[in-house]
Each structure stands twice: as structure tokens, then as C-alpha cells.
Amino acid sequence: MTAGREDYARSGVDVEAGYEAVRRMAASVARTRTAGVLSELGGFGGAFALPSGLREPVLVSGTDGVGTKLKLAFLTGRHDTVGIDCVAMCVNDILCSGARPLFFLDYIAVGKNVPERVAAVVSGVAEGCVQAGCALIGGETAEMPGFYDPDEYDLAGFAVGVAERSEMLDRSRVRAGDVLIALPSSGLHSNGFSLVRKVFDVERRDLDAAVPELGTSLGDALLTPTRIYARPVAALLREAPVRSLAHITGGGFHENIPRSLPDGLTARIDRKALRVPPIFGLLQREGRLDEDAMFRIFNMGVGMTAAVAPEDADAAVRVLHRNGVEAYPIGTVVPGTEGVVLC
């Protein structure tokens, strides 16, 4: 090790560990390569060629992180799923504009660069990109001793997609009488974990213990990755007229569904139609949370909603079923200013 590297190492930054992390993540990144990728891992910038055949291409971008769900990864030592969450939170957002994901970049900030751990995180990011059909074309791993605990890290990223301008989704197309279709979530996804961790007291609880109600351990249930809807939504947009999409993230039903509706229209949700996974019931009971709070914080088993004309609803559900999503109607669009009404 040179004198300069020794000085840097004494400050807490291990340059060699950084090189090793890049070597370990190379195979994961290679899995995500698509035809548009023009650059190699390790360059100063990721280059991507826009797909041909678009008359008026529009780039759509989204950025997000995993939030305090990362604390569950630290507690369990499982680091290979949170990368999927990171990709999902970004990609699912840009789908709501009708965009097709093209590429993704991640940012990992660590207190101590442990190559095996960083590689595990990136393997999850790569898996998310494979599920989304996009390329992981770059990223950054920043070792920040004294800023982060040596055993902790933060993870964020951003996705870029493309849409034909004339085919972009616009909430102004939604009409009273339209049907709202639920695309089921895989569980809690990546929202509300500050409350989740407090309710379940995760730092003092045996996260590996089986919970019969869940059919798995609490740790496994909480770390279930956010579902990525890119491929089924792409099929839906090709085969059925869709008026708008909503990604149900932080803020639950009440914040997100109204973002897909024009002013003067309200989502009327049939509470009894919802297929709510057991983790939500357990969370509500242990946290003594009322129903309003649950719907204002969590996705309640609905990861996305699609608004379609009544005559297109059956076809939309069939398309989603063929593409692995057990979609079902949960309500209608009605005149009103409440945003969301649960009936």
C-alpha cells in the first residue's frame, strides 16, 4: 500500500475494499445489460442510446430510496433484497406516465466498505433491474466513516424511462364511471417502516420466529421486496386502453390515488372487495391503529391502481392475469372532492 493509501486508510476509508466491491458486483451488473447500453462499468458516466422507432420520445425519470426498511436488513444480515425495493420504488413511479424503463443508477453510502455486503446490495439492485427490463449502467459507493455507523448504509437510486409523447398517460382522460382496478402488492413494500419498526419493536423481537398467521417469520414478511410492475403494465398498455395509473406508496390510498384523478372526481373504494394480506391485520392489531390510519399510511395490499373505462375493465383484468398479476376491480370514479371514499 502506498503512503497516500495508508493515510486514507487511517481516516477510515479503504480504497482496496472499494476496488474489491466493484470486482464483486461486475457479474450482477452484467446480468442487466440491454441493447441500449454504450458504456462499461467503471467509467465516469453511463451512456445509453434511445430506442429507435419513436416519433417524439419523452424521457421520464424518478428517484427514491429504501428508507428505514434498511434497518431490517441490518438486523437480519440480509442485504440482497433491499436493492429490489430501491429499483421498484423508482420504476413503479415512472410507469404511471406510461414510460418504459430504460436504465437505472444507484447510490450506496456506507460507514465501512465491506465488499461482500456491498456486492449483496448490488445483486438486489441488479435483480430489480432484470425484473424491470432495464439496465444498471452506473452508480456510486461512497465510504463515509464517522457519518454512518460501520454496520449501516443508505441506498437510493434513480430510473429513466421513455414514452411516446402522444401515448403518455394523462389523468385528464379519467371520467366519472371509470373502473379502478387493483394490482396486488407483495406486502408492505417500502413505506411506513418507521411506524412498522416501532409497532413490532424489531430490535428486541426474534425476527426469525415463525408467525403462523403470516405463514413465515416476521423478518421474512417485512423484508419481502416491493413488487415491480414494469412487465405486466407494459402488456396492459399495449393491449387495453388505460386512462391513468397510480403507484400506492407513502401516503397510502388517500395521497396517491387522487394523483391519478382530475379535479372534481373521487375514487369510491369498496372496502369489502379489497384482498388485504395478513401482515396488515397483524400490524393494525399490535399497533392499535384505526382503519383510517392504515389507509393513509400503507398500501393495504394494493401496489398500483389502473383507471379504465367500464367497457375495458374485463379485458384489462384478463391481460394482467395472463401476465402474472391477480388484478381485480376495487371501485369506481365518481364526482366529488374527497379524493378517496371508502365504502
Side-chain angles (χ1 to χ4, degrees):
M1 183 181 289
T2 66
R5 290 182 183 178
E6 290 174 353
D7 292 338
Y8 213 6
R10 281 194 292 270
S11 74
V13 177
D14 188 339
V15 175
E16 291 299 327
Y19 297 154
E20 177 62 18
V22 172
R23 287 191 289 269
R24 287 173 177 266
M25 67 178 70
S28 294
V29 175
R31 291 182 60 215
T32 74
R33 191 175 182 92
T34 63
V37 178
L38 302 178
S39 55
E40 299 295 333
L41 182 67
F44 288 100
F48 195 95
L50 283 175
S52 59
L54 295 172
R55 297 181 300 278
E56 201 173 359
V58 175
L59 295 178
V60 182
S61 61
T63 186
D64 209 336
V66 182
T68 64
K69 185 174 183 175
L70 291 175
K71 289 283 190 179
L72 275 299
F74 307 155
L75 289 169
T76 61
R78 290 177 51 187
H79 305 286
D80 60 346
T81 62
V82 289
I84 300 173
D85 289 295
C86 188
V87 175
M89 297 304 290
C90 300
V91 164
N92 289 343
D93 274 354
I94 68 174
L95 296 179
C96 296
S97 297
R100 172 166 61 95
L102 295 177
F103 59 85
F104 188 84
L105 288 91
D106 60 19
Y107 174 79
I108 307 170
V110 302
K112 179 178 175 56
N113 193 335
V114 180
E116 299 87 347
R117 186 169 62 202
V118 172
V121 173
V122 174
S123 74
V125 174
E127 174 59 26
C129 288
V130 169
Q131 292 182 23
C134 65
L136 177 57
I137 65 169
E140 171 71 6
T141 302
E143 190 170 17
M144 303 168 65
F147 195 90
Y148 291 97
D149 185 278
D151 295 323
E152 297 191 351
Y153 56 86
D154 199 6
L155 174 62
F158 78 89
V160 174
V162 67
E164 185 72 75
R165 185 167 185 169
S166 62
E167 297 174 2
M168 292 181 68
L169 297 182
D170 182 350
R171 65 179 185 169
S172 66
R173 300 178 185 177
V174 178
R175 300 287 181 268
D178 284 351
V179 176
L180 293 171
I181 295 172
L183 283 66
S185 70
S186 57
L188 291 168
H189 284 184
S190 302
N191 301 109
F193 271 80
S194 294
L195 177 59
V196 169
R197 290 185 299 109
K198 181 178 180 180
V199 167
F200 289 131
D201 195 11
V202 295
E203 294 187 355
R204 294 191 291 181
R205 190 162 182 157
D206 181 3
L207 296 175
D208 294 324
V211 181
E213 180 179 350
L214 302 179
T216 186
S217 69
L218 181 61
D220 284 346
L222 298 182
L223 276 172
T224 300
T226 304
R227 192 168 189 174
I228 294 175
Y229 298 96
R231 296 185 189 277
V233 164
L236 179 64
L237 295 176
R238 284 195 307 268
E239 301 179 41
V242 177
R243 291 187 166 166
S244 73
L245 292 168
H247 182 201
I248 313 304
T249 57
F253 277 44
H254 290 276
E255 182 175 326
N256 292 289
I257 294 178
R259 296 165 66 185
S260 68
L261 305 176
D263 293 342
L265 293 181
T266 291
R268 189 173 187 272
I269 305 296
D270 181 357
R271 175 66 182 81
K272 293 180 180 178
L274 293 172
R275 304 169 188 174
V276 183
I279 186 64
F280 295 96
L282 182 64
L283 176 63
Q284 184 173 4
R285 288 198 310 276
E286 292 207 13
R288 298 180 181 178
L289 304 172
D290 62 29
E291 184 177 82
D292 183 67
M294 294 295 293
F295 278 93
R296 290 187 182 277
I297 299 171
F298 303 107
N299 68 60
M300 297 301 285
V302 180
M304 294 191 81
T305 59
V308 300
E311 62 270 21
D312 298 319
D314 289 344
V317 168
R318 286 196 298 270
V319 170
L320 290 167
H321 282 191
R322 285 201 306 271
N323 286 274
V325 177
E326 292 299 314
Y328 60 98
I330 58 169
T332 56
V333 178
V334 298
T337 58
E338 297 92 337
V340 172
V341 175
L342 296 170
C343 302

